[in-house]
Structure formats: structure tokens, C-alpha cells
Amino acid sequence: MVDYHAANQPYQYGPSSAGNGAGGGGSMGDYMAQEDDWDRDLLLDPAWEKQQRKTFTAWCNSHLRKAGTQIENIDEDFRDGLKLMLLLEVISGERLPKPERGKMRVHKINNVNKALDFIASKGVKLVSIGAEEIVDGNAKMTLGMIWTIILRFAIQDISVEETSAKEGLLLWCQRKTAPYKNVNVQNFHISWKDGLAFNALIHRHRPELIEYDKLRKDDPVTNLNNAFEVAEKYLDIPKMLDAEDIVGTLRPDEKAIMTYVSCFYHAFSGAQKAETAANRICKVLAVNQENEHLMEDYERLASDLLEWIRRTIPWLEDRVPQKTIQEMQQKLEDFRDYRRVHKPPKVQEKCQLEINFNTLQTKLRLSNRPAFMPSEGRMVSDINNCWQHLEQAEKGYEEWLLNEIRRLERLDHLAEKFRQKASIHEAWTDGKEAMLKHRDYETATLSDIKALIRKHEAFESDLAAHQDRVEQIAAIAQELNELDYYDSHNVNTRCQKICDQWDALGSLTHSRREALEKTEKQLETIDQLHLEYAKRAAPFNNWMESAMEDLQDMFIVHTIEEIEGLISAHDQFKSTLPDADREREAILAIHKEAQRIAESNHIKLSGSNPYTTVTPQIINSKWEKVQQLVPKRDHALLEEQSKQQSNEHLRRQFASQANIVGPWIQTKMEEIGRISIEMNGTLEDQLSHLKQYERSIVDYKPNLDLLEQQHQLIQEALIFDNKHTNYTMEHIRVGWEQLLTTIARTINEVENQILTRDAKGISQEQMQEFRASFNHFDKDHGGALGPEEFKACLISLGYDVENDRQGDAEFNRIMSVVDPNHSGLVTFQAFIDFMSRETTDTDTADQVIASFKVLAGDKNFITAEELRRELPPDQAEYCIARMAPYQGPDAAPGALDYKSFSTALYGESDL
């Protein structure tokens, strides 16, 4: 219960809690503490009392006439409390308790107490004003009570730029009269004495009612009467002051002036509200239009990038092998061209797309809009998935190309080896079938028969020696088939022919041996010397043929160790040549000995050894061929050794550069992570430093290009491994792309922080305090805080989230804001978004709806004509194109639904 009888207390007015009237009220305590000077020592200035009586009476009547009544004497007509209660009902729009109709003093006191109780219920603290004083007609108390009512219901809710009450009303007057000469409103007393300020207020809002340029500063009475009469006649503001009283008073009563001026404020507040509402709507629409443009740009860029990825992946997944190394190397060159020319711009586009998406989401959060959801299939995650598929296809394609080139290289080597061995074997078998089919033994002498048997034994020995070559030919053909050699048909045909011929030779050899053995009993003599020659000459001849075959054998190596192994084997072969030469001389000595014996015994030989076709001339010819092939083999091996040494140089050259570039990229990645955590100076300083850092990274690109050139030389040399470095070109490329993406994202994070700071009005000191607090508790420098770390951070900033019931509830509320997906981590961006929302105000859907309602004249709908009248043309058409027709029961033709439009701007449902 309010104490209306506190003894010996000066009259005070101030809210004990937030008011229940329109606008919720502002803080009036400090203001009213200064305003209490007017009735110090319980005395009233006579001139002020007169002005207050007239002004307060007129103000009360301006409201009471709505109820069909009025007062004549302010300290007499409120004594029974009836008109006082009626006045409060009119100005508040609320019903008071039923008054008592009795004429006794107790009835009057009860009625006045009901009125005072109602005033107290509106958060007004009344001191030294009691019902008895009002009933007794105490002029001072009655005027104080009416002034309290005027303050609470006519002035308190006036707010301009977050000021309130007297300051707000004064600021409004100053703004409205600023363009007018001879007007300087500094207070609510002397500034109004010449009447120009009253006329300026009217002219500013209704210029057709006042001819301001004809007014003179030295004629205040005329000026005041002109303003009072125009206000009463055209603005329905009753005359509350007398011009002569104002001019004749050294300092007009401030409360009387404030009361009168507040009537002007309320008379013109509709226009002010419309202007404010229009400005708010324009601001909201401008933000929405800009966000829509950013969304369209994102959709277009995302579509283009996805289309490029979808076109590229089938090309990378096309694994149809070619028949030749040259065709496959052209595919490899096309792939290198894709890597060098086509892919890098798309990497930049992907990075820019992520930056645009993050910037757009930040702007939407800052403008209190719902998050942007790209159309289906165009999310950043969708693009990352497609990009990952692309890189998987890319990696698989490169591996397939290199493996296919190796396969074709091996196929060519095997095919050439097959042709060489097949040619040697076919040359050896030439005429052998005819020889085995010859029936010369039927007419031969005994010695001839013995010779034929020995010759056949030598042939069988030779035939057995060639068995390995036939098996090698078949094995090579089988391997060519397994490796899918493109000319396998001809290889198989030739191999089958050799195998069939070999089977035929075996059968013919067996048949001829049986025939010779059958007649062997009839043969006795044999030239042992010729036989020994034949037996030793045949394997030696076969050894020379194998040696020539080995010396002409093609080889393929990939490392310096492999070629050095071949050189070592070749040196070992050369070390056996002296022994072979001695064997050759021993064989030739046998032949010479046979000739010497024949000559010494006058024996006439037939001219050739009957047991072998390997003559000394053949042996010498083949030996000479071996001697010629050895240096050629030396040259080929040395040439290959030089090539492998060159390849080793390329490996070391690439490794040297890669071992510099790789750690450099890794170091820069670590430095960027440290910079993003240990940012010093203003955000602009940090942004400038990061952009300089980004330029230094871009300037390093020539080192990467040099590495690409060295890598191309390695691939052109068909080098497939490098033991001198753990870095591959693929690792370097991925690291470089990650480095560029990381610095770009870090720069974008700082830009978003600047955007957040500027949009939310966060000071540099606040931003530094937020960053310092966040980094202090981010112990692992991971860029995110766990729940306990985040709670400690909040406590350091003054939040009451200790481990009690109320603190836990508050902490859970905050966590639902900063971690809506319940990931258990709070990022710095989410942290500053939360702090900015805690410290600043943002537009809401309800505010926009209220603004549209002002433009619509309190209707539940608005028309296109009203929108075009109140808003700029482009924003008016923007609203008209997007507002749905209004479907309410009070709908008029052409009515538009501004409520559902406003809620849609903020992603809310139209409740």
C-alpha cells in the first residue's frame, strides 16, 4: 500500500518499477530529483501557480471533454474524487473501481484514494500527497498530483535516441526547430518567451498554417497568440497559456510549458512514427535485398563449380587403355595440362565460394535473419563431397596412367624379346625336318652309318640344348597374353607354330635314331677324333649362340643399382672369355690334329667332319661375333648407366627442392594457426598483417612452379620412385592448396569479426577483451572451447553461471545459443555473436510489424498506394511483389498482408 501521509517529506515523483503504460517507461528518478526545486519549502511562485492552474486545467479538460464533462476550478472540482477518477480512466484507457456516490467526507476521501492507488499501480511513488489534502482543496498538493499524472501519462513515454522524458522532449523540440532562424531551444522556460519556437513547431509539421517569415522576434505577444490560436483551431490543442502571462514573467513556469509542448509532440507524433517506421522498414529491406543478391551469386558460382566437377569426373574415370606407349603418354600430358591449367582456377573458386558462404551467414546472423540454406545439392558439404570424389578420381587416374605406361613398356620389352628368341630358334630349325627325314643311311657304308649315328647323337645333344629356349618362348608368350598385349594373336600363332614344329622335330628325331640303331650293327668304324671334335664343338657353339643372344638381349632398369648389377654381371661374363678362348683353341686343335694325322698317313678325308656341321670357320666366325658384341654391350650398359645417373640427378634435384618447399608449407600452416590464436593490435591491423602474410605466400609460388617443372622432367623420364624425399608432388600440391585456403579463411574470419564489431557497435577494447578471454581458456589452441572452459570464460567476464541451480540454468541457456547442434564445442565466432547479442539490440519481426502498422494507419493490412507513398520506389515495389493478399475479415480491395511478410524476413512462422 502506498504511503500517502509520510510526514514532513517534500513532494517526489519516480518509478518504483517499470511502468505499465505504452512504451514501458524510462527511468525518471534522476530527472525528478532535479525537478523538485519548484516547490521547495512548500511555497509556490504566484506567477507560476497561475500558469500551472491555467495549463493543467486546459490539459485536464482536453481529456475530460472526451467523456462529456470539464472542470472550472482545479483545486475544487477534484475534491470529491469523481472527476479525478474519470480523468484517469480517459487518459489510461482502463477501468477504475466503482466510485462511491455519497456526499460525506469519507466518501470523497475513499474516491480520491482509489485514484491515488491507481496512480501508484503505474509505478509512481507519491510522497506527501494524501487524499485528505486533495479533499480539503490544497492547491499545492492538487497541482503536484496533476503534474505527476501529466509526467506519467503524457511525458514519461517520450523517447528520442534512447533519452527519455524531459530530455527526450527537449531533444525532439531542438531537432524540429533547428532549421529556423532566431530559434534556439535550450530549456522549457526562457526559450519559449518570444513565441517563435511554438510557431516553428507548427510550421515544421503544417507549413500551410503559419507564415513564419512574417513573424518578428520583437513582437512576442503576437507570435504567442498566433501559435495558440492556430493550435486550438487546426490541431485540436486547447489554449493552455496566456501570452501576456508568459511575456510578463521573468521565467515562465517550466511545467506549464512542458505540459503544453507535450500536446504538440503527441499531435505530431503520428507523422514522426510514420517517418521512423518507414526508415526502419527501408533499412530491413535493404539488408534483405543485399542478402538475396549474395544468395544468387552463391547459387550461380556453386552451380558452375558443380557442373565443372560433373564434366571432369567422367573424363578422369575413363580408364580405356591405349595400345601404345605414345598414346598413353599423350593421355599423361593431357592430365598434366589439366593439373597445371584447368584445376588451379577451380581450387580458387571453391575457396572463394566457402568464403562467400561464411560471409553471407555472418551477415544474416548480424541482421537477425535465418541462416541461408542453398538449394538441394549445392551445400558447401555437397561441393566438398563432389570435390573429394574428383580428387579420388584424379588420384586413381594418375596411378592408372603410370601403371598402364609401365605395363606397355614391359609388353614392348617382352614382345621384342619374344621376336628375338623366336627368330633365333626358327633360324636353328630351318632345314632340320628335311635332314631328319633324309634316308641316306639306306645306301651308306658302314663308316658312313657310324658317322650318321654319331652325327645324330650330336644333333640330339643340340636339340636338348634348345629345349630351354623353346620353353622361354612359350613362357614369354603366356606372359604377353596375361598382360593383354594388343598383338597377342600373332604372338600366339607364331608360338604355336614353333611348339608344333618342336614336337615334330622330337618325333622325327626319335624315328631317325631307331632307324640308325637298327643298322648300327652293320657299322664298325668311326673316326674318334672327328667325334670328339663334334661333341666339344656343339656345346661350345651353343654357348657362343647363347652368349650372342645374351649380349644382344634388351634390358630395362629403373634405378642406378639395377644397371650397376647388369654391369657387374657383364664384367663377370667377360672374365670367362679367356677360358672360353682356351676351349676354342682346344677344339680347333682337335680338328688340326685330325688333318695332321690324315696328311701324315696319306688319308683322304671327305672335306668336312661327318659328325657335325660346326666347322672351325663357323666357330671362328661366331667367336669373332662374340668379340664384336662385347664392346657394344659395354657401350649400351654405360649409356644406360649414364641415363640412370641422370635420373638420379633428377631425383635428387626434385628431392632437394621438395624438402625445402614441403617444410616451408608446413611451417606456414603452423604460423597461420599461431597467428589466428595470438592476434595482436586492432582487427584492421590483424587484417593488414594477414593480407601481407598472404602476399608473401603468393610470392612463394615460383618455387612451387619450379618444383612442377622438375616433377614434369621426372615423369617424362618415366621415374616412378624417389628414395631421397618423403614428399610427392601430390603432397606438395595438396599442402599448397590447403595453405592458400587456410590463409583465405583466416582473413575471412577477421573480416567477419570486423563486420560483427561494426554492425553490433562493439568497441575495439571489447573485441580485444573477448579475444583475450577466449584465448586464455583455449589451452590447446584448437580455436574452440569445451563446456567447462567456456563456463570459466563466462565467469571471467562477469556472468553468474556458478554451479548452483540458477547458474546451471543460465549456463544451459547460453550453451543452447552458442552450440545449437550440441557438438560440445564453442567457436570464437559463436562466442562473439553471443556477446554482441548480449550487449546490443537488433531489429525484430515484431518491430518491423509495428512499423508497417504505423504506415498503414493502425490497419491490419496495407495497400500498394500506401507503400508507394511512404517508401522509396525500389523498396516499395520490392514489398508489393512479395506481400501476399490479406485474408482477414476486415480486408479491403488490394489489401496486402504485411505481418506474414515481416515474419518471413526473419524466418519465423506467421502465428
Side-chain angles (χ1 to χ4, degrees), residues 594-611:
Q595 286 183 334
R596 187 190 66 76
I597 293 174
E599 291 174 357
S600 65
N601 292 285
H602 308 287
I603 297 174
K604 188 176 183 180
L605 300 176
S606 60
S608 62
N609 192 325
Y611 306 119

Side-chain angles (χ1 to χ4, degrees), residues 710-762:
Q710 294 170 349
H711 181 252
Q712 182 170 348
L713 293 176
I714 281 181
Q715 286 199 326
E716 289 172 352
L718 298 178
I719 300 171
F720 303 109
D721 55 5
N722 193 340
K723 66 181 181 181
H724 304 297
T725 181
N726 293 325
Y727 295 99
T728 66
M729 196 63 230
E730 181 64 24
H731 293 155
I732 298 293
R733 290 191 195 106
V734 171
W736 178 255
E737 291 171 2
Q738 288 178 346
L739 179 60
L740 292 177
T741 301
T742 299
I743 186 65
R745 285 174 178 165
T746 304
I747 289 173
N748 180 244
E749 179 183 345
V750 176
E751 290 174 338
N752 283 343
Q753 290 179 26
I754 292 174
L755 189 62
T756 300
R757 180 199 66 191
D758 294 342
K760 296 297 186 178
I762 301 174

Side-chain angles (χ1 to χ4, degrees), residues 433-449:
E433 287 191 33
M435 182 268 292
L436 291 172
K437 291 178 181 179
H438 192 211
R439 303 177 67 84
D440 53 348
Y441 56 84
E442 293 180 349
T443 58
T445 63
L446 181 60
S447 59
D448 291 335
I449 289 300

Side-chain angles (χ1 to χ4, degrees), residues 16-32:
S16 60
S17 62
N20 296 329
S27 176
M28 295 287 292
D30 294 340
Y31 159 59
M32 285 312 304

Side-chain angles (χ1 to χ4, degrees), residues 58-69 86-87 90-91 154 263:
W59 184 85
C60 292
N61 284 335
S62 69
H63 293 287
L64 287 171
R65 68 184 180 184
K66 298 174 184 177
T69 187
L86 182 60
L87 173 66
V90 171
I91 61 177
C263 293

Side-chain angles (χ1 to χ4, degrees), residues 442-461:
E442 293 180 349
T443 58
T445 63
L446 181 60
S447 59
D448 291 335
I449 289 300
K450 291 185 179 291
L452 288 174
I453 290 174
R454 302 298 181 270
K455 181 179 180 181
H456 190 71
E457 289 174 353
F459 172 78
E460 285 180 329
S461 176

